[in-house]
Amino acid sequence: MQKIVYVAMAADLLHAGHINVLQHAKQYGKVIVGLFSDHAIAMMEDAPLLDFEERKKVIENLSIVDSVVVQDAPSYKENLYRLKPDYVVHGDDWKKGYLKIYRDEVIEILYDLYPQEKKDLEYHPRLIEVPYSTHINALGIKRTINALGISKAMQQKRLRVLLGLKKPLRFLETHSALSALIAENTCVDKEGRKVGFDGFWSSSLTDSTNRGKPDIEAVELSMRLNTLNEIFEVTHKPLIYDADTGGLLEHFVFSVRTLERVGVSAVVIEDKTGLKKNSLLGNEVHQVQEDIEIFCQKIRAGKKAQVTQDFMIIARIESLILDKGQDDALKRAFAYIEAGADGIMIHSRHKDGVEIIEFLKAFRKKDKNTPIVVVPTSFNAISAEDLAKYGVNIVIYANHMLRSAFIAMQSVAKSILENDRSLEAEKECMSIKEILSLIPGTI
Ligand code: SPV
Ligand code: MG
């Protein structure tokens, strides 16, 4: 009987490296590809560009592939115990890095399935590892595709796609194209996962501060649109826009259309009225919460104004900021959802996060699905992962790029004055060579 060979892959961008692995596998017998589900890929890294059905169509039509099954988790466990393959084939690149834990687990399972083999935790004779094709750089291919650009429609839709695939999503404040490039490209390897930011937050606070203006809706949409366009020109991740109160209902409907047209994925409007001040000032300043029904009308008008199915309107509740209590926050949350809000943002300025967790528990008891957004600037000791356990979908780091840039710039400015030259400040600066090569197309 023909031997069974199991090969797991994402195959988002099929290239010669995949074919190389599959050709190796074919030498050992019948090739079953365990195609990672969208969810499994999103758990390990970013959501795929092509969805499962699209990727499956490509793989199942390869003559070297005998059949395709879904692998619905990063772990091989379920499929290996079910299919009991004679061999598992993989590129040898997973010997180190974030995928190593899955390799270790595969070896353990193979010893369990084939106990007669002499135990060696580093290796199993039924695990065939194909030298990784170093000349093929999947990340490079992805970067090239990103450089070519993706349509605004695809970038916009990505927020809804990601919400359906993973939790939490991490969004980082970006106030310029450069800060967005940093947010887009920074990632860290964790056990079993490559973690990066899922998208951008266009903050009213930092967009105003960056222009030397207070966070009181003084910077017009037309000004902020310039920044958005610059960000969109060089990135492909989704952006959530902080529209303050959304302004008058009659004006908000135009803003929705404009934001939707440029490719913004979601707009957040907060339930305040009159002269809006930054929420973190709480009741130290005069701030007035909007009447529930009036705010619902604004949500309804916005939903009616949008053209696509993809654009989202997120209602931000300021009850905890203004010490109005949990009952008021919950009442508003359900009223706003009823009015058509696609998600809610609950804000708090307390450091311990107790009132946020209390809200999340009470809300999730009644509503399991509506996306919840939080901005843990004050309750910053709770990890995104822990917030997700309480039901949060999107965690926004709302101002950290600008705040950190300010400190770095101020320190360099001081150093130049203190030393009356720039030599000492050099160590705090990126080299000229690096900054020149930072942006593709410079040289
Ligand atoms: C912003 O980033 O502008 C926000 C979040 O609205 S907060 O500053 O916490 O109000
Ligand atoms: Mg704001």
Side-chain angles (χ1 to χ4, degrees):
M1 215 178 67
Q2 241 198 335
K3 305 272 192 212
I4 294 178
V5 190
Y6 187 75
V7 185
M9 53 174 61
D12 195 17
L13 298 160
L14 191 70
H15 54 68
H18 294 112
I19 302 296
N20 195 19
V21 169
L22 291 169
Q23 279 172 336
H24 253 86
K26 190 73 189 161
Q27 294 168 20
Y28 291 88
K30 190 174 147 199
V31 176
I32 302 182
V33 168
L35 192 63
F36 286 115
S37 64
D38 298 344
H39 168 74
I41 297 174
M43 276 171 77
M44 285 184 282
E45 36 185 282
D46 204 358
L49 288 175
L50 302 177
D51 70 24
F52 181 81
E53 288 307 323
E54 290 168 317
R55 293 181 288 114
K56 181 163 173 264
K57 200 162 185 177
V58 175
I59 296 295
E60 69 190 2
N61 279 291
L62 296 177
S63 57
I64 38 175
V65 171
D66 293 282
S67 62
V68 179
V69 296
V70 59
Q71 182 168 324
D72 202 18
S75 163
Y76 288 50
K77 207 172 186 168
E78 202 186 310
N79 279 1
L80 294 192
Y81 281 118
R82 186 165 58 84
L83 301 166
K84 299 188 178 54
D86 299 280
Y87 296 99
V88 175
V89 177
H90 199 285
D92 68 356
D93 53 313
W94 71 341
K95 285 185 178 172
K96 46 185 190 308
Y98 70 103
L99 293 177
K100 187 175 178 299
I101 59 164
Y102 306 117
R103 176 184 187 266
D104 294 347
E105 191 190 47
V106 165
I107 291 174
E108 225 178 275
I109 296 168
L110 286 173
Y111 277 111
D112 196 22
L113 289 171
Y114 301 101
Q116 64 277 22
E117 306 284 359
K118 197 167 130 329
K119 199 139 187 172
D120 171 351
L121 288 181
E122 284 302 301
Y123 170 76
H124 192 285
R126 288 173 186 267
L127 172 63
I128 315 292
E129 293 176 304
V130 183
Y132 189 66
S133 332
T134 46
H135 66 287
I136 294 160
N137 173 352
L139 195 65
I141 296 177
K142 248 186 187 168
R143 282 211 192 106
T144 309
I145 291 192
N146 287 342
L148 286 174
I150 59 169
S151 73
K152 284 305 126 205
M154 199 167 162
Q155 182 163 11
Q156 180 171 65
K157 193 172 160 179
R158 212 160 163 77
L159 178 58
R160 282 207 191 260
V161 171
L162 285 167
L163 278 169
L165 291 177
K166 64 175 182 177
K167 206 164 98 178
L169 302 179
R170 298 172 178 85
F171 274 61
L172 186 61
E173 168 262 325
T174 52
H175 52 272
S176 63
L178 188 64
S179 58
L181 277 173
I182 296 172
E184 170 135 326
N185 294 317
T186 305
C187 64
V188 294
D189 281 0
K190 299 215 168 161
E191 282 232 314
R193 288 177 299 147
K194 197 179 247 324
V195 186
F197 291 100
D198 298 288
F200 316 122
W201 168 244
S202 170
S203 152
S204 71
L205 170 64
T206 67
D207 250 6
S208 312
T209 307
N210 201 33
R211 292 177 168 87
K213 295 238 170 95
D215 184 14
I216 54 170
E217 304 194 72
V219 181
E220 288 168 20
L221 174 59
S222 55
M223 293 289 286
R224 294 182 64 191
L225 275 177
N226 285 337
T227 312
L228 293 185
N229 278 321
E230 283 167 2
I231 291 174
F232 285 144
E233 219 169 301
V234 293
T235 61
H236 77 289
K237 292 190 176 179
L239 183 141
I240 303 177
Y241 184 84
D242 172 8
D244 298 306
T245 64
L248 294 175
L249 178 152
E250 292 81 353
H251 297 173
F252 181 56
V253 290
F254 289 109
S255 306
V256 164
R257 287 269 172 110
T258 306
L259 292 167
E260 192 183 20
R261 196 167 55 240
V262 298
V264 166
S265 300
V267 63
V268 177
I269 50 170
E270 61 196 87
D271 56 0
K272 288 205 204 107
T273 184
L275 181 62
K276 178 229 102 139
K277 300 272 174 68
N278 185 272
S279 297
L280 300 177
L281 297 168
N283 282 329
E284 283 169 37
V285 291
H286 180 67
Q287 312 207 49
V288 182
Q289 207 171 8
E290 183 60 281
D291 170 80
I292 297 186
E293 182 41 34
I294 292 178
F295 197 67
C296 285
Q297 281 168 14
K298 203 186 280 186
I299 296 168
R300 278 194 284 271
K303 287 309 291 175
K304 210 167 140 204
Q306 77 180 65
V307 177
T308 66
Q309 292 294 312
D310 302 323
F311 189 75
M312 298 174 76
I313 295 181
I314 296 171
R316 165 169 164 178
I317 301 153
E318 294 285 290
S319 307
L320 304 182
I321 290 287
L322 301 171
D323 296 329
K324 298 278 177 64
Q326 291 289 345
D327 289 347
D328 186 70
L330 287 163
K331 185 165 93 186
R332 286 173 177 270
F334 295 118
Y336 299 161
I337 292 163
E338 180 69 29
D342 300 289
I344 54 155
M345 179 190 280
I346 181 70
H347 207 9
S348 161
R349 58 195 158 83
H350 289 196
K351 278 189 92 60
D352 58 15
V354 170
E355 63 178 12
I356 282 283
I357 291 169
E358 206 182 307
F359 175 90
L360 293 169
K361 283 183 179 164
F363 181 84
R364 279 290 179 237
K365 236 186 222 168
K366 290 199 179 154
D367 181 327
K368 301 265 180 279
N369 299 320
T370 303
I372 303 182
V373 183
V374 294
V375 179
T377 305
S378 300
F379 43 104
N380 57 9
I382 313 175
S383 70
E385 210 69 64
D386 283 342
L387 286 166
K389 284 182 194 139
Y390 290 110
V392 168
N393 298 80
I394 302 176
V395 178
I396 294 179
Y397 300 94
N399 42 52
H400 302 79
M401 295 296 265
L402 191 67
R403 281 167 60 210
S404 57
F406 188 98
I407 290 191
M409 290 194 282
Q410 196 176 44
S411 159
V412 164
K414 262 192 189 160
S415 165
I416 292 175
L417 287 179
E418 268 162 10
N419 299 293
D420 211 16
R421 59 183 194 181
S422 62
L423 175 75
E424 290 73 12
E426 259 319 307
K427 59 178 184 306
E428 295 183 60
C429 301
M430 197 176 218
S431 77
I432 295 289
K433 205 169 165 199
E434 258 180 301
I435 205 152
L436 286 175
S437 62
L438 183 68
I439 310 296
T442 306
I443 303 171

